[in-house]
Amino acid sequence: LSLHQDVIAGFLYAILILVVFHPAVDLIDNFNLTYKYAPLIIITVEKVEEQLAALRIARRCVPSQEPAYLLDMDTSPAAQPGSSRFLAVSCSNKSIRVYDRDTLHFLREYSGHPGILSGVRFAHTCDSLVFSACSQGTVKCWDVRSGTQKPVQVFRGYPSNAFISFDVSCSDLIVCAGTEKVEKDTFLVFWDARGVTDCASTAKEPLGVYSESHNDDITKICFHPTEPNLVVSGSTDGLVNVFDINKDNEDDALISTCNSDSSVSSLGWSGEDYKQVYCLTHDEGFCWWDLAQLDTEEAITLLHVLDVRESVCTGNHGLHYLVGGLYHEKAGKLFLIGGTSTGNIHLISCSTDGLSLVGTLSGGHSATVRSFCWSPTDESLLTGGEDAQLLLWKPGAVERSLTKKASLKISSSVQKRVRVHNTSLKSRKK
């Protein structure tokens, strides 16, 4: 009798499960059968993750006679298909070095800057113009095809400004820089970047500033990849602000304020049509928001990880820090770059379910990696670090020179200044 009861109970449970889950299963089956890109989506993500895990050193640039930390880098757009591209690297010795992006052949160096450099960016519509901000209150632009050390344009801030972050809009029309906090003031400063080569003899004055949305150092600025009026800023106050600079005033321009609950170290755009924003924090946290949900009742937070080091299993390698994020358009996938103090590089996949390790790149750097640049055209990765080495990684590559550099970690006068964020500051908007 007991056996018959168990069979009947099992049968009833099976019917209940079928009734509850059949509509969802039907929808999934219908998607896989009718949506022509469904198999491609699955294959593409898996293939991209395999390619990332298969990255190997293709070229290694020998450190210069004056080794320095390689703090930031950017590559120029191709002037035409097949043409050579430039790579610019911001260094801890207050210089910018320019290389051939494909061969890593050193081309020239811009040195003699009075203050600490904050980042380096190429123009989007001209492959030879490169920008960098300086703690002495200027953003400068050079033409790397020119033989002169003199910048083609200087964007000057206000007397008290010390710039520690900046970016250039995707249309190259606007330059924006973020300042350190001086007394009670912190600013986003904007300039008109049109005609940079036409008036090099005179410094450009600001168009205006935003001064009410952050209350501490503005550590990162990033314009939207395709919409030149959108810009996101992050600060040691823990806030990540999204602005539409086409609006008449700062209050109207502020679209959203998200709270990372920590000091922001890096941020960027991701997702379809780049409607998502992510940020990394100085204590190795990760936040990810969907701005498409701003006008809905849905929560905009996709994922919030307080300490990525504790949530990603990296085996015996460990995870000591995060460097930044990259959005892979082909796969529609966000990845994080992290690493160890001995130079291993971890590639981490992001999903709303959490973070997972894709692969570890070893045998390249011998110290902390500080910068990277992803190239979607040839699926390659450039990395630079505290060992003064510049490396080019490609899927399945074989390094031409097999001589591995010994540890080149150097002392530097440049150390990242991290202030404790203001935990009492709350999000102003959803």
Side-chain angles (χ1 to χ4, degrees):
L1 181 62
S2 175
L3 180 62
H4 287 299
Q5 288 176 333
D6 289 343
V7 171
I8 293 170
F11 179 72
L12 292 174
Y13 275 126
I15 292 176
L16 179 63
I17 291 170
L18 191 61
V19 169
V20 172
F21 289 104
H22 183 267
V25 173
D26 206 36
L27 282 171
I28 294 170
D29 286 342
N30 185 61
F31 173 79
N32 288 328
L33 290 171
T34 61
Y35 189 60
K36 63 180 180 179
Y37 296 116
L40 184 63
I41 291 170
I42 298 170
I43 293 170
T44 299
V45 172
E46 290 180 351
K47 184 179 179 182
V48 165
E49 291 187 348
E50 288 174 2
Q51 286 179 333
L52 288 173
L55 287 171
R56 299 293 182 269
I57 300 171
R59 290 187 182 275
R60 186 192 302 262
C61 181
V62 178
S64 66
Q65 292 182 346
E66 186 186 354
Y69 288 10
L70 308 186
L71 301 177
D72 194 22
M73 61 177 66
D74 194 29
T75 56
S76 66
Q80 55 190 13
S83 64
S84 61
R85 298 166 63 189
F86 299 109
L87 166 68
V89 181
S90 174
C91 305
S92 61
N93 63 357
K94 304 178 183 179
S95 73
I96 294 173
R97 296 172 185 165
V98 181
Y99 301 83
D100 182 288
R101 183 251 179 248
D102 298 313
T103 66
L104 300 190
H105 175 67
F106 175 76
L107 299 176
R108 61 186 55 85
E109 182 175 27
Y110 300 105
S111 56
H113 298 90
I116 298 169
L117 297 179
S118 296
V120 61
R121 290 289 179 272
F122 274 97
H124 302 84
T125 57
C126 178
D127 70 328
S128 65
L129 295 181
V130 64
F131 299 77
S132 185
C134 175
S135 61
Q136 294 298 308
T138 60
V139 177
K140 294 180 180 180
C141 174
W142 294 267
D143 187 339
V144 298
R145 295 189 186 278
S146 167
T148 178
Q149 286 276 317
K150 187 177 180 181
V152 294
Q153 184 63 69
V154 176
F155 302 88
R156 196 175 307 282
Y158 298 106
S160 63
N161 292 163
F163 297 132
I164 57 172
S165 58
F166 91 105
D167 199 14
V168 183
S169 68
C170 63
S171 61
D172 294 335
L173 296 181
I174 299 293
V175 171
C176 177
T179 71
E180 278 189 337
K181 184 178 182 179
V182 177
E183 295 180 354
K184 294 183 179 181
D185 297 322
T186 182
F187 301 103
L188 284 169
V189 185
F190 298 89
W191 296 267
D192 183 346
R194 290 175 294 182
V196 292
T197 58
D198 299 334
C199 50
S201 59
T202 58
K204 285 205 171 188
E205 299 300 323
L207 289 172
V209 301
Y210 289 168
S211 60
E212 303 296 331
S213 301
H214 288 294
N215 71 356
D216 214 331
D217 298 355
I218 298 173
T219 52
K220 205 70 178 178
I221 294 171
C222 187
F223 275 95
H224 193 278
T226 59
E227 298 186 40
N229 58 305
L230 296 182
V231 64
V232 60
S233 61
S235 167
T236 53
D237 63 14
L239 299 185
V240 173
N241 291 325
V242 182
F243 299 95
D244 179 354
I245 61 174
N246 279 350
K247 301 297 184 181
D248 292 335
N249 56 68
E250 183 176 353
D251 245 8
D252 293 340
L254 185 59
I255 296 173
S256 174
T257 296
C258 304
N259 199 337
S260 70
D261 293 322
S262 189
S263 172
V264 176
S265 62
S266 179
L267 49 73
W269 302 83
S270 65
E272 185 179 358
D273 297 327
Y274 291 96
K275 291 183 178 179
Q276 299 168 359
V277 169
Y278 66 89
C279 89
L280 309 179
T281 64
H282 285 114
D283 52 5
E284 317 311 336
F286 171 68
C287 297
W288 192 13
W289 300 282
D290 186 0
L291 302 184
Q293 303 299 332
L294 280 174
D295 296 325
T296 72
E297 295 301 317
E298 300 294 322
I300 68 169
T301 301
L302 298 173
L303 188 65
H304 187 182
V305 180
L306 292 176
D307 192 336
V308 175
R309 294 169 297 185
E310 297 177 355
S311 65
V312 177
C313 179
T314 56
N316 296 326
H317 295 289
L319 176 64
H320 300 159
Y321 58 85
L322 296 173
V323 187
L326 70 89
Y327 179 67
H328 198 293
E329 282 190 333
K330 188 186 297 184
K333 190 81 171 175
L334 176 63
F335 296 93
L336 303 181
I337 306 290
T340 69
S341 57
T342 55
N344 289 328
I345 301 172
H346 295 313
L347 307 171
I348 301 165
S349 174
C350 304
S351 75
T352 53
D353 295 326
L355 307 174
S356 59
L357 183 69
V358 173
T360 299
L361 310 183
S362 304
H365 292 281
S366 56
T368 299
V369 173
R370 296 290 292 267
S371 57
F372 72 91
C373 192
W374 169 254
S375 174
T377 54
D378 61 354
E379 306 285 326
S380 66
L381 181 71
L382 287 153
T383 57
E386 294 184 2
D387 56 5
Q389 291 193 89
L390 178 61
L391 301 181
L392 174 63
W393 307 75
K394 291 186 176 182
V398 177
E399 187 178 0
R400 294 190 178 185
S401 172
L402 299 179
T403 56
K404 185 179 184 298
K405 303 294 292 184
S407 177
L408 291 167
K409 186 169 181 179
I410 56 175
S411 60
S412 172
S413 61
V414 177
Q415 299 293 338
K416 267 198 170 178
R417 287 160 291 176
V418 181
R419 297 185 182 179
V420 178
H421 65 281
N422 186 350
T423 54
S424 66
L425 198 59
K426 301 298 182 183
S427 176
R428 289 173 53 187
K429 295 188 180 182
K430 180 180 175 182

